[in-house]
């Protein structure tokens, strides 16, 4: 069995029959450095969330999931350490863009807006404060770079590259998934401020949702009970670890030795609460 990707968080194995096995580890990366300390059960949380959303959105667009049952996988994966963090998926021809959906005026978009500049082709006519909800969510793709950082591009750039029909199909699918999942999360006390999707094409050329979907690693999740406009809302993601790294002048330091047990425990609890809230009825 060929391991084809060892990413920041996931290990991907090619079964060489049109299927792959993806294992989500407990690794965590921050400021482009994989930290030396694992976050307890983080991989299981990410896997459970992605699987929940794949099922929840399959009426909008097909996804790559075949099975999350270890019995359906090669014998090498039928071991306790793979339980709850491993999925069998269809291999896709991946589209070379991350499709980012933004529902709130935040981050690099807010920085551009403050300067009065359009953001990746989007102009804003009304007044917005930081972290304010947009009238309508927008799609801003980025190219998937093999080396270095991804490059943000306009939606039209992606459509010109992929063809208007496929580009529009991707845009519509991304917005429909975001809107449906946003409502579910909001009803459970979490605001999905923005997220990124990855799509591929199956053997029939049909659009399929792949990779991970709507996890705290691929999205900005805010605690709805603490949300207010005009600042940076409390988030359900690796922000706790990032804040600790910054406070200790370790942000981006590749030689960091370990993350303290209390920081690990609190980060694990934040991830777990996110799963409990979103998946409680599914």
């Amino acid at each position: 069995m060929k391991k084809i990707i060892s990413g920041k968080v996931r290990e991907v194995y090619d079964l060489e029959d049109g299927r792959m096995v993806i294992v989500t580890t407990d690794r965590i990366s921050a400021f482009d450095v994989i930290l030396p300390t694992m976050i307890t059960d983080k991989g299981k949380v990410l896997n459970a969330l992605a699987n929940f959303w794949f099922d929840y959105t399959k009426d909008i667009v097909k996804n790559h999931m075949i099975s999350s049952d270890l019995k359906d996988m090669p014998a090498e994966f039928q071991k306790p350490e793979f339980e709850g963090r491993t999925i069998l998926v269809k291999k896709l021809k991946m589209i070379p863009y991350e499709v980012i959906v933004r529902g709130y005026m935040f981050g690099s978009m807010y920085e551009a807006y403050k300067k009065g500049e359009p953001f990746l082709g989007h102009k804003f006519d009304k007044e917005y404060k930081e972290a304010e909800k947009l009238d309508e969510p927008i799609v801003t793709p980025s190219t998937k770079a093999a080396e270095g950082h991804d490059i943000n591009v306009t939606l039209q750039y992606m459509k010109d590259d992929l063809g208007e029909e496929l580009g529009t199909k991707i845009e519509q699918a991304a917005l429909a998934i975001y809107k449906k999942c946003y409502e579910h999360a909001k009803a459970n006390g979490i605001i999905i401020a923005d997220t990124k999707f990855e799509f591929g094409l199956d053997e029939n050329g049909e659009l399929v949702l792949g990779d991970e979907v709507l996890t705290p690693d691929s999205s900005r999740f805010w605690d709805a009970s603490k949300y207010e406009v005009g600042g940076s809302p409390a988030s359900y993601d690796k922000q706790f670890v990032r804040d600790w790294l910054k406070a200790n002048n370790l942000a981006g330091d590749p030689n960091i030795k370990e993350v303290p047990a209390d920081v690990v425990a609190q980060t694990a609890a934040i991830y777990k609460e996110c799963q409990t809230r979103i998946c409680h009825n599914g």
Side-chain angles (χ1 to χ4, degrees):
M1 198 166 336
K2 200 168 69 176
K3 185 191 283 190
I4 51 171
I5 300 168
S6 187
K8 287 177 182 165
V9 176
R10 286 172 180 75
E11 307 281 326
V12 183
Y13 299 85
D14 192 344
L15 304 189
E16 301 185 327
D17 62 359
R19 301 178 305 160
M20 300 189 304
V21 170
I22 302 176
V23 182
T24 308
T25 72
D26 292 339
R27 292 195 292 265
I28 189 166
S29 76
F31 302 107
D32 284 333
V33 174
I34 297 173
L35 302 183
T37 311
M38 302 277 188
I39 303 297
T40 316
D41 285 345
K42 172 178 174 274
K44 290 185 178 181
V45 168
L46 295 183
N47 194 47
L49 276 166
N51 293 354
F52 173 84
W53 291 124
F54 277 130
D55 188 57
Y56 193 70
T57 58
K58 64 180 190 276
D59 61 324
I60 297 171
V61 65
K62 293 201 298 191
N63 61 65
H64 70 169
M65 281 283 292
I66 297 171
S67 175
S68 57
D69 190 334
L70 293 185
K71 291 200 292 289
D72 296 332
M73 300 180 207
E76 295 95 319
F77 296 101
Q78 295 179 21
K79 296 173 186 161
E81 63 262 34
F82 292 107
E83 190 61 60
R85 58 175 76 247
T86 308
I87 54 171
L88 182 67
V89 302
K90 181 184 277 203
K91 193 172 185 181
L92 305 172
K93 180 174 181 247
M94 294 306 287
I95 286 161
Y97 289 90
E98 288 190 340
V99 183
I100 300 157
V101 181
R102 301 172 192 265
Y104 286 73
M105 179 58 76
F106 201 71
S108 51
M109 181 160 68
Y110 182 62
E111 295 305 314
Y113 170 79
K114 273 195 306 192
K115 294 179 193 151
E117 297 168 357
F119 180 71
L120 299 172
H122 293 274
K123 296 187 179 72
F124 300 97
D125 303 326
K126 64 173 271 188
E127 293 277 314
Y128 279 105
K129 292 189 178 128
E130 185 175 19
E132 188 172 348
K133 190 174 191 223
L134 301 177
D135 283 348
E136 277 296 320
I138 62 168
V139 175
T140 62
S142 70
T143 61
K144 286 200 286 195
E147 298 290 322
H149 284 286
D150 298 344
I151 299 160
N152 291 325
V153 295
T154 64
L155 183 58
Q156 194 56 51
Y157 177 97
M158 182 180 81
K159 288 182 179 180
D160 290 344
D161 182 34
L162 298 177
E164 193 74 29
E165 186 186 356
L166 179 57
T168 301
K169 205 179 273 187
I170 290 168
E171 175 194 16
Q172 289 170 344
L175 287 170
I177 296 164
Y178 174 79
K179 286 175 180 176
K180 181 175 184 183
C181 298
Y182 175 90
E183 294 302 332
H184 174 82
K186 184 90 188 310
N188 291 292
I190 291 176
I191 292 169
I192 304 171
D194 50 55
T195 191
K196 66 181 173 66
F197 299 118
E198 295 198 31
F199 293 94
L201 300 174
D202 68 10
E203 67 280 11
N204 304 315
E206 280 195 63
L207 192 66
V208 181
L209 182 62
D211 196 48
E212 63 178 321
V213 60
L214 291 156
T215 71
D217 274 18
S218 68
S219 321
R220 204 185 305 267
F221 284 179
W222 290 336
D223 184 343
S225 67
K226 296 177 183 160
Y227 166 73
E228 51 188 51
V229 171
S232 186
S235 63
Y236 280 104
D237 54 22
K238 55 178 101 167
Q239 198 57 48
F240 193 82
V241 171
R242 292 165 69 91
D243 291 346
W244 176 80
L245 290 166
K246 277 205 276 205
N248 290 278
N249 294 318
L250 292 167
D253 182 350
N255 302 312
I256 174 171
K257 296 289 182 281
E258 68 173 336
V259 180
D262 61 323
V263 176
V264 170
Q266 286 211 243
T267 303
I270 290 167
Y271 274 89
K272 189 70 188 163
E273 186 184 342
C274 187
Q275 178 194 351
T276 305
R277 284 186 173 211
I278 285 173
C279 304
H280 72 91
N281 64 351

